[in-house]
Amino acid sequence: MTRFTRYIFLTMMVFTIIMTSVISYAAPSEKEVLDAMRKASTFMVNEVSLNGGYLFAYSADLTEFHGEAPARPTQIWVQSSTPDMGELFLEVYRVAGEEFYLDAAKKAANVLIYGQHPLGGWHYFIDFDMPGLDKWYREVASQFKWGMEEYRHFYGNCTYDDNVTPGAARFLLSLYMTTLEPKYREPLLKVLDFILMSQYPNGAWPQRYPLRYEFAHDGLADYTSYYTMNDNAMRDIINLLIEAYEKLGKEEYMKAALRGADFIIAAQMPEPQAGWAEQYDMDMKPAWARTHEPAGLMPRQSIQCINQLQEIYLMTGDRRYLKPVPGALKWLEESAFEDLGDGKYNLARYYEAETNKPIYQHKTEQVNELGYGIYKYDDDPTIVGLGGWMFTTVDIGAVKRAYNRVRALTPEEAVAEYRAKKVKKTAVPKVNPEKIETLIDSMDRRGAWVEEISVYDVSITMTAERPRKSIQGISTGSFIRNMRTFNNYLRQIRQ
């Protein structure tokens, strides 16, 4: 055999091996994916959920329960759990077309309706054993040396924090628009009326409603009645009201949303300190909230306000919503203490009103009379302590580019862009078939995805700086991500 012949022969062998490998590999079929989705969902609905509701995480054997704090087996979480799962099941129903998923979404809605406050909103969680709740607050929820102060006292009212009430309302709106069933319209209108009822005349909303004032601690007033932007509370409310107006057609929802946007304009501090705080007292002054949230202007919150105002401009074409932005950008740039390049800067997490001194937070070795940790605040970033929130990185360049693009649009162009986005179909993210195989193979025999999860350990929360432990568990967040990957793959192969 000549050298050339041997070369041809070896080339053909390699080609044959490659082609055989390619031909033998078959991407997961639609049926395989549908079967896997149904198996995983059946486990979550039938074995994990409580009356159709969910928590953040569970131990693999379903004997440990976790929301934002360690939970009771009689609890489901509204925050970041049950509405998210309900919305996920609706998304899958729209693609897979199986009634099972619509029923799962309805179960989530039904349990939310069960736990809805008489006025219309929601607390962080729903508990089916209310007599035992006081003991849980005393022995579990309140046992965090640092932070988690919202769990030191049970108000019995509703919260806008962490998208709790707006998130549940948005899910009910989505379900009602999918089914048009009257039984979902009443609780939906009830929560929307609650949002209108709880809005202050100046357009702001409190963090909680009905208003309460009874939990003052650490020398600070009860902050829950303050005008609150913290954790995107106003953003979530405004966006929900706009969506409700667009889908239900009630002018009062849009009027309330625009009053909220007007409050954002009014709450901006005057130049040269033209930023925003997380919350304001009744005199429109930046105010303390929890002990780790001092009264001061916050770059992160200011960025969120800039983005919100630009979105309102796109919707309305009213250029007055853009007027606060240049001053805010100037304040951000002048307050930065470190240029990281490419338009990114480091700023302090907070700045003192009027002086614009940076406010740096330090944990101390001290505790108060109840054993909770005490923070120290100053303008010295060099102090080495137990840690704390010191700096925040802001991509000011990206914010400026976004503003300049929006500013260049005429009012007519702005409104046209907003409307086009509303009808534009979302592109289907490309999913690698091997990713689908991995997800299918990583399910256990029950249909669960078991992984290592970091959760709070109440046995050390009052003594350890990082009171966490790792467990082998089941995360509703991971379930949602995995199911969306499956759903996108279905859309992809059906195109």
Side-chain angles (χ1 to χ4, degrees):
M1 184 181 293
T2 66
R3 181 180 298 174
F4 178 74
T5 305
R6 285 198 301 273
Y7 172 76
I8 294 297
F9 176 74
L10 290 173
T11 300
M12 291 299 294
M13 284 185 63
V14 171
F15 178 77
T16 301
I17 292 171
I18 293 173
M19 289 305 296
T20 300
S21 175
V22 170
I23 293 170
S24 63
Y25 173 76
S29 68
E30 180 174 326
K31 183 180 184 307
E32 288 176 308
V33 174
L34 287 171
D35 287 347
M37 294 171 75
R38 184 64 172 267
K39 182 178 181 180
S41 298
T42 298
F43 172 70
M44 292 297 287
V45 172
N46 293 345
E47 303 298 327
V48 175
S49 79
L50 174 62
N51 297 327
Y54 302 85
L55 296 168
F56 284 28
Y58 308 79
S59 63
D61 62 1
L62 304 182
T63 60
E64 275 192 51
F65 308 89
H66 297 272
E68 187 177 30
R72 307 175 72 204
T74 56
Q75 290 175 343
I76 62 169
W77 237 251
V78 180
Q79 174 192 15
S80 303
S81 295
T82 302
D84 302 60
M85 288 288 284
E87 190 62 56
L88 178 275
F89 287 130
L90 276 182
E91 292 173 17
V92 175
Y93 168 69
R94 295 183 189 115
V95 175
E98 297 180 12
E99 289 292 321
F100 170 85
Y101 297 108
L102 181 58
D103 289 342
K106 289 180 177 180
K107 289 177 181 177
N110 293 341
V111 77
L112 288 172
I113 294 167
Y114 165 84
Q116 190 173 20
H117 188 278
L119 288 181
W122 283 271
H123 183 51
Y124 292 104
F125 55 79
I126 296 167
D127 199 315
F128 293 92
D129 175 29
M130 292 300 288
L133 195 57
D134 181 64
K135 184 175 186 291
W136 177 79
Y137 262 91
R138 286 197 321 270
E139 298 181 359
V140 178
S142 63
Q143 297 304 297
F144 287 86
K145 182 178 180 180
W146 303 105
M148 306 292 277
E149 292 170 25
E150 60 270 40
Y151 294 109
R152 293 182 188 174
H153 175 75
F154 180 59
Y155 289 90
N157 58 3
C158 313
T159 183
Y160 289 120
D161 186 39
D162 287 344
N163 200 29
V164 171
T165 291
R170 180 171 286 105
F171 166 53
L172 288 183
L173 176 59
S174 183
L175 180 62
Y176 173 67
M177 296 307 297
T178 300
T179 66
L180 296 180
E181 292 185 21
K183 71 175 183 177
Y184 298 116
R185 180 179 174 83
E186 182 178 347
L188 169 61
L189 296 181
K190 186 177 180 180
V191 63
L192 291 170
D193 286 344
F194 170 84
I195 292 171
L196 299 181
M197 176 197 318
S198 60
Q199 186 176 29
Y200 282 111
N202 65 4
W205 283 272
Q207 190 196 67
R208 290 173 177 262
Y209 193 83
L211 299 178
R212 297 284 188 270
Y213 306 96
E214 72 264 27
F215 188 55
H217 61 89
D218 293 280
L220 302 174
D222 189 321
Y223 63 90
T224 57
S225 64
Y226 290 165
Y227 310 138
T228 301
M229 297 185 184
N230 187 18
D231 286 332
N232 299 318
M234 281 194 61
R235 180 202 68 182
D236 294 334
I237 296 169
I238 290 171
N239 289 346
L240 167 66
L241 288 170
I242 292 170
E243 185 178 352
Y245 163 73
E246 292 172 343
K247 292 181 176 177
L248 301 177
K250 287 195 173 185
E251 290 282 348
E252 57 196 308
Y253 301 150
M254 180 59 75
K255 290 178 181 178
L258 293 180
R259 284 199 300 273
D262 290 342
F263 172 82
I264 294 175
I265 294 176
Q268 185 181 29
M269 296 290 287
E271 293 195 45
Q273 202 181 19
W276 285 270
E278 291 182 301
Q279 54 276 319
Y280 298 80
D281 63 20
M282 298 299 105
D283 295 323
M284 290 292 286
K285 302 291 186 183
W288 280 81
R290 295 172 292 183
T291 58
H292 56 275
E293 294 166 336
L297 279 72
M298 189 183 204
R300 184 186 69 180
Q301 185 60 60
S302 299
I303 296 295
Q304 193 276 311
C305 289
I306 290 171
N307 293 337
Q308 184 78 64
L309 290 173
Q310 289 175 173
E311 188 65 19
I312 297 295
Y313 168 64
L314 290 174
M315 182 184 70
T316 63
D318 188 341
R319 295 193 73 86
R320 70 189 180 90
Y321 292 109
L322 296 181
K323 288 182 180 179
V325 179
L329 289 172
K330 183 180 179 183
W331 171 69
L332 289 168
E333 289 182 314
E334 292 179 350
S335 300
F337 64 83
E338 183 179 11
D339 185 346
L340 302 176
D342 295 325
K344 296 180 181 178
Y345 296 85
N346 272 336
L347 292 87
R349 185 174 175 86
Y350 295 97
Y351 288 85
E352 187 177 71
E354 298 183 2
T355 69
N356 210 49
K357 285 184 179 180
I359 301 174
Y360 297 116
Q361 178 194 84
H362 316 278
K363 291 179 179 179
T364 72
E365 299 283 356
Q366 298 175 299
V367 297
N368 67 13
E369 67 278 6
L370 298 175
Y372 297 126
I374 294 177
Y375 297 94
K376 175 184 176 182
Y377 293 92
D378 54 40
D379 61 355
D380 185 357
T382 65
I383 295 177
V384 178
L386 301 176
W389 285 331
M390 302 282 284
F391 312 126
T392 185
T393 299
V394 177
D395 192 342
I396 299 177
V399 178
K400 289 180 71 173
R401 287 191 296 273
Y403 166 67
N404 288 331
R405 189 196 71 80
V406 170
R407 181 187 62 175
L409 299 174
T410 66
E412 295 76 18
E413 290 170 337
V415 173
E417 179 178 304
Y418 178 82
R419 291 176 177 171
K421 283 195 301 184
K422 288 291 181 180
V423 298
K424 184 179 179 182
K425 290 186 178 180
T426 305
V428 180
K430 188 169 179 58
V431 181
N432 190 323
E434 293 180 359
K435 171 67 173 176
I436 298 300
E437 280 192 319
T438 299
L439 289 180
I440 294 174
D441 292 342
S442 60
M443 289 167 45
D444 68 14
R445 59 177 179 76
R446 301 172 297 177
W449 285 289
V450 176
E451 60 188 300
E452 186 173 311
I453 301 173
S454 176
V455 296
Y456 283 115
D457 183 352
V458 164
S459 70
I460 59 171
T461 47
M462 291 298 285
T463 56
E465 294 309 314
R466 293 187 57 80
R468 288 184 172 271
K469 64 180 180 179
S470 292
I471 64 169
Q472 289 296 302
I474 298 161
S475 161
T476 52
S478 293
F479 173 81
I480 290 170
R481 287 190 295 274
N482 293 344
M483 287 291 288
R484 283 194 172 128
T485 300
F486 278 144
N487 218 32
N488 288 330
Y489 182 74
L490 281 181
R491 295 167 64 195
Q492 178 178 303
I493 63 178
R494 287 175 175 179
Q495 285 181 341

